[in-house]
């Protein structure tokens, strides 16, 4: 798949590196090698992951890895500070310089604005993006956790294409699709909470990157094998047995089945689990299976 309208080729699964700060250099090297061998070539970072330590360990591990910088895509995010958000030109540019130093690279393939800044001045963002693009420090840009109007506001000033929106989405966290299945109804599922983000993303060819694809609630825990969710786990197990893969692979295959050009960001630092999850790349669920899993997750189909 390609990220948005860019020329960046990637797999439908990427590795989120938030937990890499907990690894030794050798462990991180093993994770990079196992991920690349399984078909993953995009590694997602943020300047707040491990207070920058995740990026430092990744760079050190990549240096020991058989994987070369030119064979992968490096993505990072900025804008979250201690207790507030900051999309000022000064902060964006200084953040990128620090990210590049920690990652020991000359450029990022993609930079995302991490969470909306209520005090954002889009003119400043545009200036920062222009400088970063012209200097060769960032190839492409995007956002994370932004709704369509915020993206449209940015696009009025930013000359560069916004190719990505990173959003929480999983089988047990489905606000992105609930309202679209309950149009003109009076139940709570019909409430539009995101201004139609998935349809907007498809209309504007923005890649949705699904973060926390195994979480329920607001990252309250993993639903796979969780005793509070017997029905969805039974449905996952049935599909897993049919396709000869893990339940985690089915949960990712459910995300990838949606036609909105979604890329799942997995966060495992376990090499065997990474290999197990990427089995999803060989699966295409039927409509009956997709809706069956959606219902098993506690949702009604009107």
């Amino acid at each position: 798949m390609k990220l948005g309208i860019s020329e960046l080729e990637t797999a439908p699964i990427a590795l989120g590196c938030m937990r890499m700060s907990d690894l030794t250099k050798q462990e991180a090297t093993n994770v990079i090698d196992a991920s690349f061998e399984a078909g993953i070539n995009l590694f997602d970072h943020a300047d707040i992951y491990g207070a920058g330590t995740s990026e430092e360990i990744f760079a050190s591990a990549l240096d020991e890895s058989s994987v070369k910088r030119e064979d992968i895509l490096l993505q990072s995010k900025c804008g979250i500070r201690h207790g507030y958000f900051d999309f000022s030109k000064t902060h964006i540019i200084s953040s990128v310089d620090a990210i590049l130093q920690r990652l020991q690279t000359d450029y990022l393939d993609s930079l995302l604005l991490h969470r909306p800044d209520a005090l954002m001045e889009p003119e400043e963002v545009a200036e920062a993006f222009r400088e970063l693009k012209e200097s060769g420090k960032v190839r492409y840009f995007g956002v994370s956790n932004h709704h369509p109007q915020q993206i449209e506001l940015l696009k009025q000033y930013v000359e560069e294409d916004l190719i990505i929106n990173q959003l929480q989405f999983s089988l047990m966290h489905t606000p992105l699709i609930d309202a679209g299945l309950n149009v003109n109804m009076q139940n709570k599922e019909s409430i539009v909470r995101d201004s139609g983000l998935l349809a907007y993303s498809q209309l504007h060819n923005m890649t949705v990157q699904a973060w926390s694809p195994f979480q329920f609630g607001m990252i309250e825990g993993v639903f796979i094998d969780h005793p509070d969710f017997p029905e969805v786990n039974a449905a996952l197990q049935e599909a897993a047995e049919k396709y000869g893969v893990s339940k985690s692979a089915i949960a990712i295959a459910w995300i990838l089945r949606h036609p909105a050009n979604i890329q799942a960001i997995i966060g495992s630092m376990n090499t065997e689990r990474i290999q197990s999850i990427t089995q999803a790349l060989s699966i295409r669920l039927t409509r009956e299976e997709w809706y069956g899993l959606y219902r098993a997750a506690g949702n009604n189909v009107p």
Side-chain angles (χ1 to χ4, degrees):
M1 65 179 286
K2 288 188 176 182
L3 294 177
I5 62 172
S6 78
E7 296 304 312
L8 301 179
E9 291 278 356
T10 185
I13 298 176
L15 187 76
C17 297
M18 182 174 69
R19 298 183 179 91
M20 195 162 279
S21 59
D22 298 328
L23 305 186
T24 65
K25 180 168 76 170
Q26 185 57 56
E27 289 170 337
T29 301
N30 294 341
V31 166
I32 294 171
D33 286 339
S35 299
F36 192 74
E37 183 179 339
I40 292 172
N41 74 328
L42 189 149
F43 296 86
D44 175 65
H45 295 270
D47 56 2
I48 63 167
Y49 291 168
T53 306
S54 292
E55 291 173 331
E56 292 173 345
I57 292 175
F58 180 91
S60 180
L62 184 64
D63 192 50
E64 297 293 322
S65 169
S66 59
V67 179
K68 304 303 180 185
R69 168 65 182 96
E70 57 268 24
D71 296 329
I72 63 173
L73 303 178
L74 287 182
Q75 173 174 286
S76 196
K77 303 181 286 293
C78 70
I80 298 179
R81 306 191 74 168
H82 297 293
Y84 65 102
F85 307 115
D86 189 348
F87 285 179
S88 66
K89 175 184 176 181
T90 300
H91 181 68
I92 293 172
I93 290 177
S94 64
S95 294
V96 170
D97 286 340
I99 289 167
L100 294 177
Q101 183 175 10
R102 289 192 295 269
L103 286 174
Q104 297 178 30
T105 186
D106 295 329
Y107 67 96
L108 289 175
D109 293 285
S110 47
L111 173 73
L112 311 185
L113 299 176
H114 206 160
R115 279 196 175 273
D117 176 11
L119 302 181
M120 176 186 74
E121 297 180 57
E123 300 93 335
E124 284 202 38
V125 175
E127 290 177 10
F129 282 9
R130 188 180 307 112
E131 282 192 22
L132 292 169
K133 179 75 171 182
E134 290 176 353
S135 66
K137 293 178 180 179
V138 178
R139 297 176 67 189
Y140 294 96
F141 300 88
V143 296
S144 181
N145 307 299
H146 282 58
H147 64 56
Q149 286 77 15
Q150 292 166 328
I151 297 169
E152 284 296 313
L153 176 60
L154 276 169
K155 287 167 67 174
Q156 290 294 313
Y157 297 87
V158 172
E159 297 175 358
E160 292 73 25
D161 294 314
L162 300 176
I163 65 170
I164 294 165
N165 194 1
Q166 196 172 108
L167 303 158
Q168 185 178 6
F169 185 51
S170 76
L171 181 55
M172 295 297 295
H173 184 90
T174 57
L176 285 175
I177 61 175
D178 294 338
L181 290 172
N182 292 270
V183 175
N184 198 34
M185 298 182 70
Q186 294 182 325
N187 53 9
K188 62 182 177 62
E189 291 81 10
S190 68
I191 299 172
V192 179
R193 304 177 189 276
D194 61 5
S195 302
L197 261 173
L198 279 189
Y200 175 89
S201 300
Q202 289 174 272
L203 285 167
H204 295 273
N205 202 13
M206 289 185 74
T207 294
V208 172
Q209 292 181 333
W211 59 267
S212 290
F214 303 114
Q215 296 280 333
F216 62 92
M218 180 61 179
I219 59 174
E220 294 173 23
V222 175
F223 61 82
I224 304 290
D225 294 327
H226 195 293
D228 289 351
F229 307 108
E231 187 174 349
V232 73
N233 275 285
L236 286 167
Q237 183 63 38
E238 181 181 351
E241 291 175 358
K242 173 184 174 180
Y243 288 100
V245 299
S246 66
K247 287 193 283 188
S248 295
I250 296 297
I252 294 297
W254 185 86
I255 292 172
L256 302 185
R257 180 63 176 84
H258 196 283
N261 195 31
I262 298 176
Q263 181 180 49
I265 307 290
I266 64 172
S268 178
M269 295 290 108
N270 181 298
T271 56
E272 292 183 1
R273 180 163 164 74
I274 291 169
Q275 292 167 347
S276 171
I277 292 170
T278 53
Q279 293 173 324
L281 296 173
S282 64
I283 298 169
R284 179 176 171 83
L285 297 175
T286 67
R287 273 184 163 80
E288 183 179 3
E289 290 166 340
W290 190 89
Y291 279 105
L293 287 163
Y294 181 72
R295 294 196 309 273
N299 301 294
N300 294 317
V301 176

